[in-house]
Amino acid sequence: WLAFALAFACGIYLVRHAETDCSAARRICGEVDAPLNVRGVAMAECLAIAYDKRPIVAIYSSPQRRAVDTAVPLARGLGLTVAQDTDWRELGFCAWDTLTQDEAAARDPERFAAWLEDPVATTPPGGESALAVAQRVSQAFERIRSHSTGDCMIVAHKGSLRLLLCSLLGIDLRLFRHRLGQQPAGVSCLEWRTHGPLLHTLSDTSHLPEELRSHLGS
């Protein structure tokens, strides 16, 4: 990380929240405030142990419990407070929340198929478009990047982090579900260079023991 520090005053870690019962069962989980399950709590503790010697000066989080509870153990160890920002919340799936993809497709076949094809032009019933989410997380990211004076961590969600990375890396937002993996408690590392962001690591789970990396769900 020395080269990282020399090239950029603020290194940014992007962390997907740890496991919940919804993620373990591959259920859609947007606005539902699902807590971490037992494995998820263990993942959060592993994250704290692995990163408590890094020079992290600020931790930001979605206000949803699964994100906050992933961030708190590390924040506690570093003597920091988790700064919650609603712009980091997960994509709003509304009527599809808690359903599997097969269940959503059976309930609303035409709309679900259209959303899979183009999540920018189509929204879940009562939910958000990929573009709307990308705009709010990009704004939240820019606030952090422009004001932070040291390394920081952002703990958010599968969809919101994928859409942020697509926006930063110039990937078509319609492909956010197909181009970037985001495992529970996975850590991605960004460096900001003269020509913009450089992704060093995507969804790293090497801080988790094998028993927590296996059967990671969605």
Side-chain angles (χ1 to χ4, degrees), residues 106-174:
R107 178 177 296 187
D108 199 354
E110 290 186 7
R111 189 159 189 162
F112 191 73
W115 182 80
L116 290 178
E117 181 68 25
D118 188 349
V120 172
T122 308
T123 65
E128 292 180 285
S129 71
L131 177 60
V133 177
Q135 289 173 337
R136 63 172 163 82
V137 296
S138 295
Q139 291 168 359
F141 180 83
E142 186 56 31
R143 288 195 297 271
I144 293 170
R145 193 183 74 82
S146 61
H147 293 103
S148 184
T149 57
D151 290 1
C152 59
M153 178 175 283
I154 300 164
V155 184
H157 305 269
K158 185 178 185 179
S160 58
L161 291 177
R162 280 171 155 175
L163 286 163
L164 173 67
L165 286 168
C166 283
S167 296
L168 293 176
L169 301 175
I171 299 171
D172 190 331
L173 294 180
R174 292 173 295 182

Side-chain angles (χ1 to χ4, degrees), residues 88-107:
W88 290 113
R89 69 191 185 279
E90 181 59 300
L91 188 153
F93 288 97
C94 295
W96 295 342
D97 260 332
T98 75
L99 303 179
T100 65
Q101 289 198 37
D102 287 345
E103 290 168 345
R107 178 177 296 187

Side-chain angles (χ1 to χ4, degrees), residues 1-10 191-192:
W1 282 94
L2 177 60
F4 198 173
L6 291 173
F8 180 43
C10 176
E191 173 188 355
W192 204 272

